Amino acid sequence: MKHAVLIAEDDPTIGEMMDIILTQAGFEVSLVNNGEAAIDLLKRSRFSLVLLDVHMPRTDGLDVLKAMGRMARFPPVLIVSANRLSETIREAAALGCSGYLAKPFTPDGLLQRARMVIAGRNRANVVLH
C-alpha cells in the first residue's frame, strides 16, 4: 500500500526535492506551497503523513496545525523547518505535531523520519540533519 503524503512547503526547490525523494521511495505525494492550500486539501483527502513548513505565506504551519486540530481526521505531522527556536518547537508539539526535522536535512534523514512518524515511532523530537 502506498502512503499518501502532503507536503506544504513554500520554497519550490525544497518542495520539489522532497517530492522527488519521497516519490522515488514509493510514496504518493501531493505538494502545495501555502497553508491555505494545505488546509483545503486536508479537508478533501486522506493522508498518512503531512510534512509542514512553519513559515509560509497566507497561513503559516502553526496555524495549519491549529486548523487540523479542529478536523475530524488528523494525520501525523512532521514539521520540516529552518526555524530551530525552542519556543516554536514546543508550540508545534503542543499543537500535536509528531516530530520536527530541521532544515537543512539529508534525503536519508527525511525518509527515516517520515517512515518513523507513519509507523508511530516518533515523539515530537528535533533531529538536526
Side-chain angles (χ1 to χ4, degrees), residues 17-91:
M17 179 189 65
M18 292 169 69
D19 186 349
I20 290 167
I21 292 166
L22 293 168
T23 299
Q24 288 179 347
F27 292 90
E28 183 178 304
V29 176
S30 298
L31 175 62
V32 297
N33 65 6
N34 66 72
E36 285 181 4
I39 292 168
D40 183 55
L41 198 51
L42 283 161
K43 289 177 181 177
R44 297 183 285 118
S45 302
R46 290 188 181 266
F47 294 95
S48 300
L49 175 66
V50 177
L51 299 176
L52 186 60
D53 188 12
V54 172
H55 300 290
M56 292 185 293
R58 299 188 190 142
T59 303
D60 72 21
L62 296 176
D63 287 334
V64 172
L65 272 173
K66 290 173 188 171
M68 290 176 70
R70 296 186 293 270
M71 294 179 186
R73 297 182 305 245
F74 192 124
V77 175
L78 178 62
I79 298 288
V80 183
S81 179
N83 183 332
R84 297 172 188 224
L85 296 174
S86 59
E87 178 181 307
T88 303
I89 296 166
R90 280 194 301 274
E91 184 175 359

Side-chain angles (χ1 to χ4, degrees), residues 85-106:
L85 296 174
S86 59
E87 178 181 307
T88 303
I89 296 166
R90 280 194 301 274
E91 184 175 359
L95 291 170
C97 85
S98 299
Y100 202 104
L101 179 64
K103 295 176 188 173
F105 53 83
T106 64

